[in-house]
Amino acid sequence: MNPVILIGCFTPLVIIFIVLKLSVWVSAVNTESKYVGKEPFRKRGPFVADAYADVDEEEEEYGDRTDYR
């Protein structure tokens, strides 16, 4: 098979693949830039007073001094 014919057959597929990749990339960049633009105006909160507190401390079945035998 002649290499020119082979290149001619696969060139449209390569061009379509590159165009699709570029369009997806441009769409992702636009979406991300819109999100980043809205980020400074986003409402935040309410925040938890102590994020690392044990919320079910009273309800625990086993405590620090429990014998696990």
Side-chain angles (χ1 to χ4, degrees):
M1 187 183 278
N2 196 351
V4 175
I5 296 173
L6 188 64
I7 291 172
C9 289
F10 284 114
T11 301
L13 293 175
V14 171
I15 291 172
I16 290 171
F17 180 76
I18 290 172
V19 167
L20 285 175
K21 288 291 184 177
L22 285 174
S23 65
V24 168
W25 178 68
V26 168
S27 172
V29 167
N30 286 336
T31 304
E32 185 69 19
S33 65
K34 287 179 187 176
Y35 174 77
V36 170
K38 291 181 196 174
E39 185 64 21
F41 306 111
R42 184 173 63 92
K43 184 181 180 302
R44 292 171 173 80
F47 297 105
V48 180
D50 189 8
Y52 298 105
D54 193 4
V55 292
D56 62 346
E57 189 172 359
E58 299 87 25
E59 301 172 7
E60 288 183 358
E61 185 177 343
Y62 301 106
D64 294 339
R65 300 181 190 145
T66 304
D67 189 11
Y68 292 105
R69 289 185 220 166

